[in-house]
Structure formats: C-alpha cells, structure tokens
Amino acid sequence: MNDSTRTSNEQSYDVETDIQSNTTTSPTRAHLQLAIDGMTCQACASRIEKVLNKKPSVYEVSVNFAGETANVDYDPTQTTPEQVTEWVNKTGFVANLQAADSLFAQTDEDTATEYPWRLIGLWVCLLPFLVGMAGMLVGQGMAWMPPVWIQFVLATIVQFGLALPFYKSAWASIKGGLANMDVLVVIGTVTIWAYSTYLWLTHGDGTLNSLLQSGHAGEHGPAVYFEAGVMVIAFVRTGKYLEERTKKHSLNSIDLLLSLTPDEVEQQQPNGDFHNVALQDVQVGDILRAKQGSRVATDGTVIDGSGWCVESHLTGESVPLKKEVGDGLLAGALVENGSLLYRVIAKGSDTKLGDMVQALSDAQGSKANLASLADRVTAIFVPVVVTIALITFGLTWWLTGMLDTALMHAVSVLVIACPCALGLATPAAIMAGMGVAARHGVWFKDAQSLEAAGNIDTVVLDKTGTLTIGKPAIVDNVMVDKSLAVDDVLQIAASVEAHASHPLATALINAATERNLPLMNVTDISVIKGAGIQANIEGLGLIKVGSAEFANLTLPKLMPKVWQIASTVAISINDEPLGAFALADDLKDDTPQAIRALQDAGINVILMSGDKQSVVDHVAGQLGIEQAYGKMSPRDKASQIALLQTAGHKVAMAGDGVNDAPAMATADASFAMFEGTDVAQHSASARLMGESLMHIDAAEKIANATVRNIKQNLFFAFIYNCLGIPLAAFGFLNPMIAAAAMALSSISVLMNALRLTRFKTEVELDNTVSGAHSNSKRLTKA
C-alpha cells in the first residue's frame, strides 16, 4: 500500500491507487541531527539556535537542552553537515554527526568522563570547609575551620582550576550574545573570592609572616567567605552531574531501544558452521541465527526454522507472533521459543528499529508550544538577574552600611536565579513522554503533536481499516448482464483493482486469486474523486469500478438485508452496468474496548466514513457511538472537523487512507493506523505501530499525562524563581543554601518528569493482573 492515492465517494466506496502525487518536495532542503555536548542550561540551547539561525543556508533550528540534540534544516547546495557542525563547535560546544549506518549519534567521551573527576576534586577541596561548618553547628564556633591561608589556597584551586569549565562556558556564552547560568555562577563566586582575598591581604601589617599566621576566620583573623564560593561551585557541579545522569540514563528511552540489539551475533560461514562476529561487521545478505531467549539483530527474512517472537518494542503489543520460513523479522524482537535462521535484509539505521530511533530522536529534539514561554523568559533572564543583583547590592549597602552583607545578598540572588529548572521543564517531560509513547507503539512526529494530542476532547474515526479489520470479503453479488458469469465480472473488476490498495480492492483481488482467475492488462488508469477508479481493457473498453452511481447501476429496492450493512462495489463496461458485489468487514476484536476507554476518559467519539449511512449506522450501533456520518467525501470530513473546531473542540482524527489525509491535516492531532498509506502516515501527527485501536487510547492518555507534567514543571520552575529571588535579596538565603536549592530545583523537575516513565495504560494494567493470576496458577499446580 505504498505511495497510493485514495478517494471516497458519496455512497459506499473508498479506493486507493498507486498514482503518484503531483506535489514535490524541494530538493534544496535537507535535515540533520547533531548530538550536542557541553550545554549547561536552556540559554546554551538558545545561543546555538541564535548562531545557526543567522546563517543564510540554515532554514530552521531546534535545539533540545534535555535531549542534548539539535535538529537543523539546511540548504545542501550552500553548506554541508560538516560546516554546520563546525559552526556549533565555534560557539563553545562539541557537536557530533550521526554516522550513516549508526542508530544514534555518538557523544564526546572526553567531556563525558571529565565531569566526575572534577567533581571528586571539588569535594576533596570542600571537605575541610565542611568540617569547619560542622564545628559551628556543634558550638565550636570557627575553631574547626582551617587557617585563612589554607582556605585561600583551596578556594583558588577550585576557583581557577576545577571551575575552569564554568569560565569557558560563560565566556563562550557572552561571545554568542546570550548569557547562561554559568555567567551568574562565575560573577558570584569570583566576587566572593576577590572580596575575601582583599580582606585577607589587607589584614594585619600585610607581611607574609602576618598572612601565614592569620588565625581561623573570625578568631583573630579577617571575616572571609572562601567557603561560600567553594560550596556554590561544588553544589552547582553536583547538580549538573546528577542532572546529566538522569537525562542520559533514566529519561532517554533511546538508550533502552539501542540495547535491544546484541553486540555479537551467530553468523553462518560458507562451510555451514556458525561463528560469533561483531554486529557491525554483518552485511546485508548474511545468514544469522537467533536462538530462544536471544534478540534478533537486524531486519531479516526467515529461511529455516520456526519460533515465536515478541515485537512489542515496535508495535506495543506483547502477544508473541509465529515466525516461519518466508516471514519477516524485525531487529530487536525477542525470540521466546524456537530457533530461527534468517537472511539480513537491513541493518543499523535502515532497520525498522533504526527508523524508530531516528523518529523518536527527531521528536524528542522538537519543541512544544508550551516551551516558547520558557524560551522567551530564559533569553532575557540573566541580564535581568544581574540587574536585580546590582540593585540588591546597592540598596543593602545603603540601608545597612555593611559591604559584606550587601555582597552576600547579591551573590545569593545570582545563584538562586539559575534558569536551569525553567529550561528543563518542557524538554524533560517531552523526552519521557515520547519514550513511553514509543514503548506503547505510538510514534509522535514532534513535540507539538504530542502536546496537541494531550488537549483533545473529540476523536473522529474512519471505519474501514480503523474500526474494522480492513479485510472485507464478498458476501453477496447481483448481476445485471446475465450473459456474463460472476467470475467474469470479478475478473474484470479485480484487474482494475490490482492498481489500488484499499481493503475493498484487496478483497476483490484475493477473491479472484482464490478462484484462479488471471488478471488482465489495463491501461489509462485514473481516479475520479468521490466516485471510484476507471481504466481501459483492450477488447472490452472503459471499465469503471466504484459506487453504484459511478458505474451507472441502479440496485433493486428489495435487496437482502446484508446489502444494508455491506459496502457496495459496482462494475460497468462503457457505462453499461454489469453488476455489483457486497463486501462486509468485521470489527477488530478490541474495538469496543477502545471506544469505551475513550468515552470513559471524557472523549467524544465520532464516526465518519465514505460508506453508505446504513453501514455506518450499523457499526456505530454496535460500538455505542452516538454521532455517525456516512457518505462523507474527503472534503466533507475536513469541513466537519473544521466546524467542530469552530465550536471550540480540540479534535483528533484517526484513519488509514489518502482520503483521510485532508481531515488529518485539518485536525489538531491525527493518528495513522498501522500499515496505512504513505500519504496518511506523512499527514498524521502520530503513527500507530500496532493494529490495535487501543493505541489511540494509550496515545491520548500518555499525551495528556505529558502535558500535565509539563505544566507542573513550568509552575514549579516559575514559582521557585519568583520566591527564591526575593528571599535571597532580603537575606533569607545565603549563597550556599541558594546553590543547594538551585541544584535541587533542577533535580526536582527531572524527578517529576521521570514519573512519566512509570506510566501504565489500561492494557498494561490488565496484562499485569492476568500475569499475576497466571503465575499464581503455575505455583498452585507446582
């Protein structure tokens, strides 16, 4: 059903043909995804976007801070991926291209391993200060604090050695025209270090002996604040480290997908023996073996053996599928039983799993509309915070006359106002939500699609292939021209329908095949929108296959009841009607459950179909759908959805054919059914990788939970900053507490987003209960 075109008429016939669309894609637009290392907050992402958007050869840029990726649309006639990467590197970050045959982009290992060592060094230097502060808590005053000169040495090592990444990031940020959180940290800690050093150097008579003999802070020594700067840097770095680990190892579901393929596989040698080889050395055409309990390494075709495989990583359905000779295998599938010998047909990024990884990565790298507010705020946040800090410093000094107090208040404002939590609020939830959706067999095109699906209150469903199995069969026929046998008319109809891929067309072709009817050669194929398909057959003339009206056929008034609930396909030659076939299609097994689940969630379900009203009413009655519209053309569906939107509804559309594409494009969110046409899948905002209609319910619930999580994160981040800045300005928070609170705010946002990864749908909960019962039965039998 690839590259097909589908139309719908006013009565009962939908048809898809393999005629290509005239719409062409501009050849001067290419897409590129980069892995970005070194970003510390949303301002870093904004800086990269600002730099790239200035390039005339770049059309669009979206940088995901949480996912550490950049999606770039550019003109390949003006620039290259390597040049784009170089532009990003010049902004102070490390960008890596995705390898052609790789499933994902590699990150810079040097940078990744640098942070823990620096973090360890920071806490080693901080330890003496912690001992001193512990003495203060137990009533020892400053007695346990190291001498001031030792404090100076430790603080200097931290400030100008271990904190060097802060300086690099801050300088690169300023050069890029946008200040990030590292600018705030550098300004605050350097100010603390400089002020404390000044107090220490000007204490006593200024001689070296006097400086070395300076006692503990506050005891015959200057009132320095070296510990404040060290603690701020240590806490901020710790927060970043925990943030990185959470993003990469907990939120990033792509890593889980990549772990589904083994590093080594059993490859058959020319002599028939099997040797273990690295997966990267496998080529298309090689023969591999997958045993029970192992994972299929590549997409392939079974050439020997049989077994049961679970492909839930792609379809979201945990039911094992029987695989025999000739069946296809998907990379990452788990062989639950049996042993399979298969020939490699695709590897790496060319596999279905690779396509999913890329789709998920692209989607996670996009931005939801809710993120725009956070982006606008963080873009101006740092300059505003610096201004507030200066005002706080000036007013506090003027009102109290105490320079050190004014300085501490200003530094606290700088540290507490970090926009990290704000920048993480949306992308962290999007990463988690996208991963959960993919686990349930729902591939959202981008963040906007997921956000839209989370706000819907109405779902419009197509009938054939969506609610029904999509494999109708001939249940009755009526012949006008008695000189022709039923098989003759079927052969003519199937010959024309061989160039279509709609389920009704497939039913006629299958029926002709079962009766061993050879197909004739046809020419001049064309589609009449809203009517059917026509073509010429040499020796016969113009053949029309479609609605009764299209084929110039008037059906008798008294027809068997089956004709009232079946789809009708009529056939004519040179506008002389030959007859018609009645085709019936069964509902999918879980369609009633899916409709009930949507309705229980408060979603209004509407049925729209090109089929005749009697058929649509019959299906709607079976499912308890109150609103059902038949005889709907593609334009009618889109117009009806537009009316619903005008009335204030947020509408989602689910379908599988080209005639659903206009409605999908009009709807706020849209779902393309599994094995739907290419046009439908490209028009949809999400693809359902399983045949179950429960995927729509899962998509809506996951999207709704994600949007709710985003709003919670944004609320928390905004409130945190709104409360934190005034508290710091009025002296209720010292720099150390401000740094700890800042780190905790980012971690809190990530932990809230992480709750999404534990999301379970109704099907999963049912399976859990069923599994528990099954296990208890096994134990009882044992």
Side-chain angles (χ1 to χ4, degrees), residues 203-271:
H203 178 72
D205 57 13
T207 63
L208 178 61
N209 187 56
S210 174
L211 295 176
L212 294 177
Q213 289 182 351
S214 295
H216 303 289
E219 295 182 2
H220 312 296
V224 295
Y225 302 92
F226 288 118
E227 76 281 358
V230 174
M231 291 191 73
V232 166
I233 292 173
F235 285 166
V236 172
R237 173 49 65 197
T238 302
K240 285 187 177 184
Y241 177 70
L242 294 175
E243 180 184 307
E244 289 294 316
R245 287 188 60 84
T246 303
K247 288 192 299 184
K248 291 183 178 180
H249 301 292
S250 300
L251 284 181
N252 195 352
S253 55
I254 291 178
D255 288 340
L256 297 177
L257 291 175
L258 296 174
S259 66
L260 294 177
T261 55
D263 295 328
E264 286 190 345
V265 294
E266 289 188 71
Q267 182 188 57
Q268 189 178 48
Q269 304 302 308
N271 61 2

Side-chain angles (χ1 to χ4, degrees), residues 478-501:
V478 58
M479 293 295 112
V480 176
D481 188 344
K482 303 298 182 180
S483 65
L484 289 175
V486 174
D487 282 0
D488 294 333
V489 177
L490 176 61
Q491 182 182 23
I492 294 171
S495 298
V496 176
E497 293 283 41
H499 299 271
S501 55

